[in-house]
Amino acid sequence: MNVSLAGCQIWCNVRNVGRYRVRLADKCCDFQEYIDTTYRTAMSYEPFSCLGSARNELIVEIFQKISGFLSALGSYFVVSDIARKVWHGKATDPYQRFMVGLSLYDIIFSSMFFLGAWLTPKETGWLWAVGNTASCTSEGFLFIFGGVGELLCQMAISFNVLMLIAFNQNQEQFAKKMERPIHIIIFTLALFIAAIPLSTQTYNPFCGYCYYGVMYEKCSSDKDEEELCIMRGNKTVEFVMSLTYRVLLFFVLIFCTIAMVWVYLHVRRQELRMQRYNFRQHNTEKHKESKRIRKILSLYTLSLYLTYGIALFVALLPLPYHGQFLLRPLPPLLGFLNMLVYFLPNCLKYQRDHPGTWLVTAYFQVVRP
C-alpha cells in the first residue's frame, strides 16, 4: 500500500527523506502530515535520523531513563504513603484517592519511558533495542493508557479542589456524588483510546521507543527502489490518535488553568471580605485552609506546565531533531514533581518542628518509610 490516505488517487508531491523518497497524497500534504511522515520514515531506516548522531541518541536515552525512573519512584512514594494510612485505619478523602490513581497511571507511563528502547525490536538498530513486535505493541499500549489516565487524573484533582473551594462542597459530598463515576470515566477513556491502534497494528517503533504510528519500508514491487510504502499500521488511525492526544492535552491544560484561576480569585475575594469585616475565628481558620489548598493546586498546575506544557510548546516549534532533547525527558517528570507537591505540607511542618532543617532534608525524613 502506498503512503496515502484511503481514497487518495492523485499524488501531489514527492519529498526527499535522507536517501529515500516518500510520495504524499493530496489530502496528506499539510505541514504536520509532512513532518510526521518524514519523521517516521527516516526513523524506520536510518538509526540516527531522529537525533542526528549516536552521541545524541545516547544522551537522550540516558536522560529519558533517569526522568522515567525518578517519576516512577516519586509516584511509588505517594502510593505507599496513602497505603500506609489505609493499613493503619486512617480515613482517606477523594483528593488522596485521585492521587493514588494518578500515581499508578504515572508508574505505568514512566516505566515505559524507562524501558524505552529495551522493548523496541532489535531489527530497528536503535541503541539498546532488544525487543520484538509483541513487546513494542505492549509498550505502545501501556504508554498511551498510562499517559491518558495520568492527564485525566490531573484534571480530576483540579476539579475536586474547584468544587471544594469555589462551590463549598465538602469531601464527603464529593465522594458520594462524583468520585466513583470520575474514576470509571478515566479508566474507560484511557483503555478505549489506548486500544484504538491495536486492531490495525499501529503501535510501531518510533525513534527508539514504541508509539502510535505507521512503519515504512522500501517498496519491493516499485521500479523506484528508493520509494517507501507502509509496512505496518494505518495512516488514518495514526492521524486520529495524534489529533485525540493533542486535543486531550490542550483541554487538560486549559481546564487546570481555569480551575486554578477560579480558585485563586475566590480565595482572593475571601481575603478582601475579611479585611473589610471582622469575621469569627472559625471563618479565619477556614480561609487559611483555602489558601493552603490554593497554593497546592497552583503547584500541581505548575508541574503540568513544566512538563507537558513545555513539551507541547516545543513540539510546535521547528527545533532541530523535532525538539526530542526536551520532548523525551520532560513528560515523565510529572510524577516526580507531583510527589514533591504532595509531600510539601508535611515537609514544611517538619521544618517548623525542627528549625534549621533544609527542605531537602525534610523531604528525606518525610518520604522515607
Side-chain angles (χ1 to χ4, degrees):
M1 176 169 38
N2 286 333
V3 182
S4 65
L5 292 177
C8 293
Q9 301 295 331
I10 303 174
W11 301 108
C12 69
N13 208 343
V14 176
R15 301 289 188 181
N16 293 322
V17 184
R19 54 193 177 92
Y20 296 101
R21 187 169 60 181
V22 181
R23 287 180 174 180
L24 303 178
D26 56 340
K27 294 183 180 180
C28 311
C29 290
D30 61 286
F31 177 76
Q32 186 58 51
E33 189 73 20
Y34 164 63
I35 289 296
D36 288 347
T37 302
T38 55
Y39 194 9
R40 286 160 174 74
T41 303
M43 174 276 299
S44 298
Y45 288 89
E46 299 178 14
F48 312 123
S49 58
C50 289
L51 300 170
S53 68
R55 174 178 172 273
N56 292 342
E57 184 180 348
L58 177 62
I59 292 173
V60 170
E61 192 68 28
I62 289 175
F63 277 106
Q64 175 182 310
K65 291 187 182 299
I66 291 174
S67 62
F69 174 77
L70 288 176
S71 188
L73 182 64
S75 295
Y76 164 77
F77 285 140
V78 173
V79 173
S80 62
D81 178 75
I82 299 174
R84 284 197 300 269
K85 292 179 180 178
V86 175
W87 179 261
H88 290 98
K90 296 181 180 179
T92 58
D93 56 30
Y95 160 68
Q96 293 172 320
R97 292 190 286 271
F98 281 135
M99 280 302 301
V100 169
L102 188 153
S103 299
L104 291 176
Y105 285 118
D106 180 74
I107 289 173
I108 296 173
F109 179 72
S110 300
S111 297
M112 294 305 101
F113 265 101
F114 176 76
L115 294 174
W118 290 332
L119 298 181
T120 302
K122 59 183 179 181
E123 293 81 7
T124 61
W126 290 99
L127 179 68
W128 301 334
V130 293
N132 52 37
T133 301
S135 65
C136 183
T137 300
S138 300
E139 181 183 27
F141 173 81
L142 293 174
F143 183 88
I144 297 300
F145 176 74
V148 172
E150 179 182 48
L151 288 173
L152 293 176
C153 282
Q154 191 86 18
M155 188 170 67
I157 291 175
S158 296
F159 180 67
N160 176 238
V161 173
L162 179 65
M163 297 303 294
L164 291 178
I165 303 301
F167 294 91
N168 296 317
Q169 189 176 71
N170 58 45
Q171 292 286 35
E172 289 76 14
Q173 293 173 325
F174 187 92
K176 184 178 180 180
K177 297 179 180 179
M178 301 182 180
E179 182 184 3
R180 181 173 294 181
I182 291 176
H183 281 294
I184 294 174
I185 290 172
I186 290 173
F187 179 81
T188 304
L189 276 177
L191 184 64
F192 175 76
I193 293 174
I196 292 175
L198 286 178
S199 61
T200 56
Q201 299 182 328
T202 312
Y203 284 125
N204 292 298
F206 181 81
C207 288
Y209 64 109
C210 296
Y211 202 55
Y212 58 81
V214 297
M215 178 180 287
Y216 301 97
E217 68 175 0
K218 289 184 289 186
C219 301
S220 57
S221 60
D222 199 290
K223 295 181 180 180
D224 189 347
E225 296 182 355
E226 293 185 348
E227 185 178 338
L228 299 178
C229 296
I230 293 179
M231 178 179 70
R232 192 171 186 271
N234 184 283
K235 194 67 182 176
T236 303
V237 173
E238 179 189 20
F239 173 76
V240 170
M241 286 294 297
S242 178
L243 181 64
T244 301
Y245 203 77
R246 293 178 187 184
V247 169
L248 174 64
L249 181 53
F250 270 114
F251 182 76
V252 171
L253 285 169
I254 292 172
F255 181 88
C256 291
T257 303
I258 292 175
M260 179 187 66
V261 173
W262 197 333
V263 169
Y264 175 84
L265 294 176
H266 182 83
V267 176
R268 180 58 181 166
R269 285 195 294 268
Q270 284 184 341
E271 292 177 344
L272 295 177
R273 285 198 299 267
M274 291 185 65
Q275 292 175 1
R276 187 175 303 175
Y277 305 104
N278 184 20
F279 283 96
R280 293 178 298 177
Q281 182 66 24
H282 169 74
N283 290 328
T284 303
E285 292 299 325
K286 182 179 179 180
H287 176 66
K288 288 182 179 179
E289 179 67 10
S290 297
K291 290 181 65 176
R292 185 188 70 81
I293 296 176
R294 178 186 69 180
K295 177 182 178 181
I296 295 299
L297 178 61
S298 299
L299 291 175
Y300 278 129
T301 308
L302 179 62
S303 299
L304 185 64
Y305 271 97
L306 289 177
T307 52
Y308 281 95
I310 294 179
L312 180 62
F313 179 72
V314 168
L316 299 176
L317 296 178
L319 297 177
Y321 311 123
H322 305 272
Q324 288 294 303
F325 286 96
L326 290 175
L327 282 174
R328 298 277 282 274
L330 280 179
L333 284 176
L334 180 61
F336 180 76
L337 295 179
N338 281 339
M339 181 272 292
L340 296 180
V341 178
Y342 174 81
F343 285 110
L344 181 61
N346 293 337
C347 293
L348 295 177
K349 182 178 182 299
Y350 185 91
Q351 282 187 307
R352 290 194 297 269
D353 297 338
H354 302 80
T357 304
W358 287 11
L359 185 59
V360 174
T361 305
Y363 268 107
F364 177 77
Q365 296 295 334
V366 170
V367 171
R368 70 175 184 174

